[in-house]
Amino acid sequence: MAQEYREDPLAYGESYGRSSTGNDQTEYEDGQYYDGEGGDRGLIGDTYRKFRGKYSGQRPSGTIPPNGGPEQPTGLVSGLFNSLHGAVHGLGSELQQRVSGRASTSSHAHSGPQCDNSMHDQSQNRYSSFAPQRNNNDIKWYVDGAGYMWAVSRALEQARESIWIMDWWLSPELYLRRPPIKNEQYRIDRMLQAAAQRGVRVNIIVYKEVTQALTRKYLVPTIPRYLQSLLPRHTDRFSSALTALGLAATFASLEYLESENQLMNPFVPVCSSHTKHALEKLHPNIAVFRHPDHLPDAKTLQSSFLSSLQNLSLSAKTASSLPLDALKAVYGMNDDVILYWAHHEKLCIVDGRTAFMGGLDLCYGRWDLNQHPIADCHPSNLDATIFPGQEYNNARVLDFQDVSHWQNNKLDRTRNSRMGWSDISVCLRGPVVQDLRAHFVERWNFIYNEKYDVRKDVRYSRLIFNQNEAGIYQQGPSSASARPYSPFPQSYRSGHSPQSESRGFDFGEDEGGSRGFGSSDQDGRHHHHHHVEQGIDQIAGALRGRFNEEVQRMEGSLENHQRLHGSSEEAGVPCQILRSCSKWSHGVAVEHSIQNAYINLIQRSQHFVYIENQFFITATGDSQKPVRNKIGAALVDRILRAARAGEKYKVIVIIPAVPGFAGDLKDDASLGTRAIMEFQYNSINRGGHSIMEMIANEGFDPTQYIRFYNLRNYDRINSSASMRDAEKSSGVDFGAAQQQYNDAVELPTDFPSQGDDGQNRGFTMNRQDYKQYQQVTQGTRERQGLGNRRWDSVSECYMLGGADIRSVPWETGNVLEIDAFVSEELYVHSKVLIADDRVVICGSANLNDRSQNGDHDSEIAIIVEDPTPMESYMNGRPWRATRFAATLRRQLIRKHLGLLRAQDPERPDANFEPIGVPNIYDFGSDEDRLVMDPLSDSFLNLWNSRAHKNTVAFGRAFHPVPHDDVRTWKDYDNFYASFFKKSEKGVDGKEVRKVPAKYEWGHVVADNFSPGQLGVGELKDLLSTIKGTLVEMPLLFLIKEDIAKEGVSLNAFTEAVYT
């Protein structure tokens, strides 16, 4: 019999304020009703309300008024707007379903490993993936960016044949090892240049960001005037005026939407143009593709739009119901134009044998240590800086700006913290790498055929790859691996590439000047499970000889692997590559094998599922449009099976507190973040169909089965007397000296980094402030660790073996100690699922529609089923876990609980090395035993009590939002804005003056503590209770509000972008 359970209905179960009248109205505390009308978001109607509010001085009715429901529009104008609203809003929903060529608006997901929908690739592989499961692989994990990027630097350093990189963003000036001053050669651009000079061929694919809104650039006023001109001559003046008004309203709505909606005309901090040009100028062996081209040129667009309207007879009625093809043309949404979606994979393949993949791009903001220091001020030695220039970033305060000028960082590190970055990636070797190579070649050739073939630039050519169905990968006799290493002639390195030079490992020249492995068909598209049909006779003999050599080489590698790890049966790890892709991204039928695997693993899990992800947007059925992925349904189904059977079953989900990079959540500019938060809460515990509500409706307490958490940390900026005295003695401001340091370590690669004397040229050029400051600080005394870098960060204090924060000294300098403490959310960017400590999915895919549905963002992931047994426990009983899954899960859990020691970037261990050096883990330690059994009461009590204690401490000290005490916007003002937001005051109609915020973002709310040193002691006592970075997710945050405040910039056209 189901257990009867009832908790605070605000957390889950009934939606807040839902009346029992049986209609679709929501009753608010004042007794007024707001008519939701289906819950969809309007476009024209919201425009009407905005215009009406503007000209009548009344509140726009798209928001919930404090003292009553919205006034209903009346009159002739409102009637027209209502007509436009119904027609255009309905088309908007249909439009977003057709953007990717889907004919049906129904959701599509399936629980089994196969997909039988005719619109998809009919692959016979498990989960309908393009690739089968492959055995005998080696794999290791990396938790956070420091170890991962060190390993990547090792691989790039040793590359002899090829480097293939696919990233959402790649920052050429990123240092893979820290501190930068000691690792100048390990900056990405320098490493790729050095590799290219060795003869290595470098191919890079990066996402090309949207840079310009479409309607304002191309269509207005040309198209409205044209449409008006199509009216029949006998049209009466009234109808003509109505038509003009309808067109004006429609295009005004589109213009307003594009100007206000950050995802229609997004500010994306990446600069793919800088990436391309900064790298390609280094050497002709480096080729960079940017994709997709989101918008056509103006002539093409207007031609497409006009041709779609040639047979349209306009009237007032037809003007208010523009046909779908016309609206598609307005947004450029045809087969060749992609406005919304992105390439999101993170992949690096070196020499075709070693691959890196997961959640980490090789870009700014990703490198981090496991203690996640968010302070990086070094008043006694600027050379100790580990986050130079724009690497010292906090997107909540100021997102990346002008990244092509990397040294320009406007974030003051003496006053602001950076944002920590928690992430996961893996390194691979074995047959599965060839599937990643195939994926890269497919994408490269698809983009080449689409936009680079016509350029006839010798830098760009197709890649060649060949695989037979048995999974044996063959290379031609001219492969670099079959000949002694020799760099290209000087003429080629200097930029004069001979026309006949082939890029990669070719069997020979083809007509397209191919790059890479194997062979391709005439249009350059690699078909993953078919033999190459042309040219095979000419190279058959060479293939046989090379095949025998390759078999011998692989046998030698296998023997070496067996010596290290045991027999292939024991050591070989079965892995399968999964992906999300479609026609726009990859030139193939829709594949959503990642979603298929997520659903299947959840359904098959026996005891426990652990999820870390950047987003959590999913549906439990077909009632949460526009969300279509059914991972939420799989979770509900599995939990209810366990609940009805009386089984102990747990799901732990860790996501960011704020899933976007907004500062003040109440600002209009934060709409995108609020929209994502609304969709997430509707997935978790609100809206009537969320996961928790579906479980509660069956009579079970959802918190006994699934819980959600965030991460947060603190630090202290060393703006102590050490900084004050150094500034005074040198006569140089710390910030000025820091800026010159940034300039020096981030010089362009084509600027010689060293002079004839071996000294860094950057520090001998006009760096007087830096040199003068450094000279003075060389004699700085220890000052209890404040003058010798010991306490430049206190992030070790919440980690294993770290000092007690109460014992950390301070000397008052530029600021009081209480004002030097800072806190920020620790941004969760991982994309991992671990089931039963046996199976892992890890990759680039977020848990939302954009990543999971296949026809939106392109993604790559891997499912790992390590057969290496490891004795463990599950709910107090012996349990045979597997090594890869169990060690990864325990490492993550321990990091969040503060049960790992802080890392030193200058003391790398085995977990910093590439594949071939196994992960190390301290089995049997006291800390390991604490987290071994994820279902034990002792572990769950530790996990939840630590999350709660940390949440309470952070809440009192820093007043972070989201927070459970903030349930309305009024609460938000009282809890957060009154302390951290600048205000405006005007007296008696006089000019408004800006009033500074009482405290800076992320700093301690000193009002909560006693004055002076007594208050500092109280604060340190409180901070000493914080262990690790785990905090509870605030499920009650703004639960009494419409978080996103539907309106012009959030409607049926744009909803899918946020999901």
Side-chain angles (χ1 to χ4, degrees), residues 405-423:
H405 297 88
W406 14 261
Q407 71 277 17
N408 295 335
N409 187 350
K410 298 177 182 178
L411 187 67
D412 184 353
R413 69 179 65 216
T414 68
R415 304 170 70 89
N416 300 110
S417 75
R418 59 177 289 271
M419 178 188 286
W421 196 271
S422 183
D423 219 328

Side-chain angles (χ1 to χ4, degrees), residues 571-621:
V573 179
C575 299
Q576 183 180 8
I577 301 301
L578 313 167
R579 66 185 184 183
S580 294
C581 59
S582 62
K583 181 178 179 181
W584 86 259
S585 61
H586 211 76
V588 297
V590 176
E591 179 180 335
H592 52 72
S593 54
I594 299 174
Q595 182 184 169
N596 297 344
Y598 262 77
I599 291 172
N600 186 256
L601 259 61
I602 291 168
Q603 291 182 330
R604 292 193 296 114
S605 63
Q606 299 180 50
H607 301 287
F608 175 74
V609 168
Y610 178 86
I611 295 172
E612 286 191 23
N613 210 283
Q614 184 182 1
F615 299 102
F616 191 89
I617 298 176
T618 185
T620 61

Side-chain angles (χ1 to χ4, degrees), residues 201-464:
R201 316 304 173 88
V202 181
N203 299 68
I204 299 171
I205 302 172
V206 292
Y207 163 60
K208 182 178 180 181
E209 68 278 15
V210 181
T211 58
Q212 200 161 27
L214 181 116
T215 304
R216 284 173 286 143
K217 179 181 179 184
Y218 294 137
L219 299 178
V220 179
T222 304
I223 300 304
R225 289 175 180 171
Y226 173 78
L227 293 174
Q228 184 75 12
S229 73
L230 295 179
L231 287 173
R233 292 182 179 179
H234 60 269
T235 302
D236 62 89
R237 292 183 179 180
F238 180 75
S239 297
S240 179
L242 268 180
T243 301
L245 181 60
L247 288 169
T250 299
F251 280 87
S253 299
L254 298 177
E255 283 194 89
Y256 185 86
L257 185 152
E258 287 182 339
S259 66
E260 295 295 314
N261 188 333
Q262 62 176 344
L263 287 178
M264 289 296 295
N265 182 24
F267 172 73
V268 180
V270 306
C271 183
S272 60
S273 177
H274 170 64
T275 300
K276 179 181 178 68
H277 297 300
L279 293 178
E280 287 192 339
K281 73 179 182 180
L282 300 178
H283 198 278
N285 259 12
I286 301 175
V288 182
F289 281 0
R290 300 193 300 150
H291 191 262
D293 286 334
H294 300 269
L295 304 178
D297 58 64
K299 183 176 180 181
T300 300
L301 174 66
Q302 292 190 11
S303 174
S304 171
F305 186 91
L306 296 179
S307 66
S308 70
L309 300 175
Q310 290 300 318
N311 298 320
L312 176 63
S313 177
L314 277 184
S315 64
K317 180 178 179 181
T318 56
S320 67
S321 55
L322 291 174
L324 178 64
D325 287 343
L327 284 175
K328 287 178 70 174
V330 168
Y331 277 96
M333 292 175 181
N334 52 55
D335 289 340
D336 301 318
V337 181
I338 303 300
L339 186 62
Y340 287 144
W341 316 124
H343 290 302
H344 197 239
E345 296 101 323
K346 299 92 169 64
L347 178 64
C348 177
I349 306 173
V350 178
D351 290 341
R353 302 181 186 91
T354 302
F356 298 87
M357 62 177 294
L360 283 156
D361 292 285
L362 297 175
C363 68
Y364 289 143
R366 273 50 170 179
W367 190 98
D368 212 343
L369 298 160
N370 66 6
Q371 69 270 31
H372 303 285
I374 57 175
D376 192 34
C377 267
H378 305 277
S380 62
N381 185 4
L382 291 168
D383 291 349
T385 300
I386 59 175
F387 299 100
Q390 295 215 29
E391 266 284 80
Y392 192 83
N393 172 258
N394 187 335
R396 298 288 307 280
V397 178
L398 179 69
D399 208 346
F400 293 103
Q401 303 281 335
D402 191 21
V403 294
S404 60
H405 297 88
W406 14 261
Q407 71 277 17
N408 295 335
N409 187 350
K410 298 177 182 178
L411 187 67
D412 184 353
R413 69 179 65 216
T414 68
R415 304 170 70 89
N416 300 110
S417 75
R418 59 177 289 271
M419 178 188 286
W421 196 271
S422 183
D423 219 328
I424 303 167
S425 284
V426 299
C427 182
L428 303 157
R429 187 175 294 163
V432 75
V433 174
Q434 309 313 315
D435 293 317
L436 292 172
R437 287 176 55 210
H439 176 76
F440 188 95
V441 170
E442 287 176 351
R443 176 70 53 77
W444 181 274
N445 289 346
F446 169 67
I447 297 172
Y448 176 83
N449 294 335
E450 184 178 274
K451 62 180 290 187
Y452 287 95
D453 187 20
V454 297
R455 303 189 184 190
K456 304 304 179 185
D457 187 330
V458 296
R459 184 188 297 269
Y460 309 125
S461 56
R462 296 182 181 91
L463 289 172
I464 308 174

Side-chain angles (χ1 to χ4, degrees), residues 598 602 609 611-620 627 629 631-633 635-636 651-656 659 676-685 690-692 706-709 833 846-849 1033 1058-1059:
Y598 262 77
I602 291 168
V609 168
I611 295 172
E612 286 191 23
N613 210 283
Q614 184 182 1
F615 299 102
F616 191 89
I617 298 176
T618 185
T620 61
V627 183
N629 81 80
I631 295 172
L635 286 168
V636 170
V651 179
I652 288 178
V653 181
I654 299 179
I655 59 177
I676 294 170
M677 293 177 73
E678 179 177 282
F679 281 118
Q680 290 196 155
Y681 279 121
N682 287 343
S683 301
I684 295 169
N685 71 320
S690 67
I691 291 171
M692 286 189 159
I706 183 169
R707 291 201 177 198
F708 294 81
Y709 305 87
L833 180 149
N846 292 315
L847 206 160
N848 59 7
D849 273 6
M1033 180 174 178
Y1058 300 98
T1059 64

Side-chain angles (χ1 to χ4, degrees), residues 491-510:
S491 61
Y492 189 73
R493 282 186 277 134
S494 62
H496 302 287
S497 172
Q499 291 285 340
S500 60
E501 187 62 59
S502 161
R503 299 174 60 89
F505 311 114
D506 301 341
F507 294 139
E509 282 295 324
D510 65 9

Side-chain angles (χ1 to χ4, degrees), residues 662-895:
D664 182 2
L665 287 170
K666 203 173 183 180
D667 286 348
D668 291 340
S670 301
L671 170 68
T673 298
R674 295 200 310 272
I676 294 170
M677 293 177 73
E678 179 177 282
F679 281 118
Q680 290 196 155
Y681 279 121
N682 287 343
S683 301
I684 295 169
N685 71 320
R686 303 179 195 176
H689 301 280
S690 67
I691 291 171
M692 286 189 159
E693 289 172 297
M694 297 296 285
I695 297 168
N697 289 342
E698 296 298 314
F700 301 101
D701 175 7
T703 64
Q704 294 299 308
Y705 299 95
I706 183 169
R707 291 201 177 198
F708 294 81
Y709 305 87
N710 306 141
L711 302 178
R712 174 168 285 276
N713 62 333
Y714 75 88
D715 211 332
R716 191 184 67 179
I717 298 172
N718 189 2
S719 49
S720 66
S722 176
M723 179 182 294
R724 179 200 61 196
D725 293 349
E727 290 179 325
K728 184 177 179 180
S729 299
S730 65
V732 175
D733 177 74
F734 174 85
Q738 179 73 56
Q739 182 59 53
Q740 290 191 356
Y741 168 89
N742 295 341
D743 294 343
V745 300
E746 298 194 324
L747 281 171
T749 297
D750 53 2
F751 185 92
S753 62
Q754 291 186 343
D756 296 335
D757 57 0
Q759 292 186 350
N760 184 305
R761 287 279 303 276
F763 293 102
T764 61
M765 301 174 50
N766 192 24
R767 302 284 184 256
Q768 188 59 38
D769 286 349
Y770 162 80
K771 290 185 290 186
Q772 188 169 328
Y773 185 95
Q774 283 291 89
Q775 184 177 3
V776 167
T777 58
Q778 296 306 308
T780 303
R781 56 192 176 89
E782 275 194 25
R783 310 188 78 140
Q784 306 177 75
L786 295 167
N788 66 356
R789 298 187 294 152
R790 175 69 179 88
W791 296 120
D792 289 351
S793 169
V794 298
S795 55
E796 69 169 58
C797 294
Y798 47 77
M799 301 297 288
L800 180 65
D804 188 322
I805 187 62
R806 293 171 291 190
S807 68
V808 177
W810 180 262
E811 293 180 0
T812 297
N814 292 341
V815 300
L816 297 174
E817 183 177 13
I818 199 168
D819 295 326
F821 282 98
V822 287
S823 176
E824 185 53 87
E825 76 164 307
L826 173 52
Y827 198 75
V828 181
H829 195 256
S830 320
K831 297 94 168 55
V832 68
L833 180 149
I834 304 172
D836 295 329
D837 277 357
R838 288 180 172 174
V839 187
V840 176
I841 299 177
C842 180
S844 67
N846 292 315
L847 206 160
N848 59 7
D849 273 6
R850 288 188 64 125
S851 290
Q852 297 287 337
N853 285 353
D855 50 5
H856 293 175
D857 293 352
S858 61
E859 309 283 3
I860 197 80
I862 187 169
I863 180 169
V864 183
E865 297 174 88
D866 181 6
T868 308
M870 195 176 78
E871 296 305 319
S872 186
Y873 287 89
M874 191 72 70
N875 196 22
R877 298 177 180 177
W879 177 254
R880 178 159 291 188
T882 63
R883 186 182 182 96
F884 182 84
T887 55
L888 175 57
R889 197 268 305 168
R890 294 183 192 183
Q891 186 84 358
L892 291 168
I893 291 285
R894 287 176 59 179
K895 186 186 80 156

Side-chain angles (χ1 to χ4, degrees), residues 161 201 464 474-484 488 501-509 514 516-518 539 542-543 545-546 549:
E161 301 167 354
R201 316 304 173 88
I464 308 174
Q474 304 168 349
Q475 300 177 8
S478 62
S479 165
S481 61
R483 61 178 182 269
F488 285 113
E501 187 62 59
S502 161
R503 299 174 60 89
F505 311 114
D506 301 341
F507 294 139
E509 282 295 324
S514 300
F517 292 79
I539 60 173
L543 278 175
R546 181 60 189 148
E549 294 176 11

